[in-house]
Amino acid sequence: MMAKATGENEVTLSYSLKALDLAHAQAAQDLLAVLKQESDTFQLADELARQQSESIDEDEMAAEADLPAKTWLVWAEAETKADTEDNPAVSYPVGIGSIAAGELGIAILSDYQNQGLGRSTIEAMVDWSEKVGYDRLWLDVDVKNQVARHLYDELGFAIVAGAEQSVKLPTGRTATLERRELSLL
């Protein structure tokens, strides 16, 4: 839990993970629009997927496709001392995490980073993955993203040697992505 002082009213933020469902579709779309403005992470993922579509290991992909996929939203709930039944706390998404075919993805709004939300989200996603039968999880991360790389190191995601890929975006930016894996066995 985190508290922010705002004049005479104190605002307390609490966070939770909620599985994405149709009731949250608009909130998820709005969140993704902001995340795409803050970072080119999604553009990098799309471009890498396009590049990799030519060299996919069909057997590995088929095995991982049989496992369930899930997406969660990280919700913040802002509560004040003035909250009442007529004036309830405000709740809104501040991040997203997903797992599909073994690939883990996560993004947190910049104003909410460095508060442990990424770590707790990934830990919950790993727990779920173990329960539903995943043997491993993987992700790609920009080698310049030191904060994310440090977190992945701490959580046990090992660098896959020789799996670095260079991705050039339509903006002209070129990024080097390293593959990370976490064995769940």
Side-chain angles (χ1 to χ4, degrees):
M1 215 183 249
M2 179 182 109
K4 287 185 183 177
T6 58
E8 292 184 19
N9 291 331
E10 185 176 290
V11 175
T12 302
L13 294 178
S14 59
Y15 301 96
S16 62
L17 281 179
K18 296 180 184 178
L20 181 61
D21 62 22
L22 286 176
H24 303 126
Q26 187 61 54
Q29 285 181 334
D30 295 345
L31 172 65
L32 288 170
V34 175
L35 288 166
K36 287 178 181 179
Q37 290 175 354
E38 288 187 353
S39 154
D40 59 9
T41 296
F42 294 99
Q43 222 179 2
L44 284 169
D46 290 345
E47 185 59 29
L48 183 60
R50 188 190 66 70
Q51 288 178 15
Q52 290 177 339
S53 68
E54 300 158 8
S55 62
I56 293 176
D57 180 337
E58 298 294 334
D59 293 333
E60 184 176 319
M61 189 172 184
E64 290 175 337
D66 289 339
L67 293 167
K70 190 167 183 176
T71 300
W72 298 263
L73 292 177
V74 181
W75 285 85
E77 187 169 303
E79 302 171 6
T80 67
K81 292 179 182 177
D83 288 339
T84 64
E85 198 170 305
D86 294 330
N87 185 30
V90 176
S91 183
Y92 52 95
V94 298
I96 190 166
S98 66
I99 297 172
E103 181 179 15
L104 183 143
I106 184 167
I108 305 291
L109 291 173
S110 60
D111 287 348
Y112 296 86
Q113 292 176 4
N114 300 311
Q115 297 178 39
L117 296 177
R119 175 184 301 278
S120 61
T121 300
I122 292 171
E123 288 171 345
M125 291 166 44
V126 168
D127 288 345
W128 176 84
S129 299
E130 290 173 326
K131 289 175 186 167
V132 299
Y134 278 93
D135 293 338
R136 72 179 181 101
L137 296 175
W138 62 272
L139 55 84
D140 293 306
V141 61
D142 189 332
V143 297
K144 291 183 181 175
N145 189 342
Q146 295 300 323
V147 173
R149 292 177 73 225
H150 178 73
L151 175 61
Y152 301 143
D153 285 341
E154 288 185 347
L155 293 173
F157 283 83
I159 297 170
V160 177
E164 279 190 359
Q165 292 197 328
S166 181
V167 178
K168 185 168 184 173
L169 296 173
T171 61
R173 176 168 115 76
T174 299
T176 302
L177 302 179
E178 66 184 12
R179 174 69 48 100
R180 298 282 187 121
E181 279 190 11
L182 177 67
S183 175
L184 302 178
L185 298 177

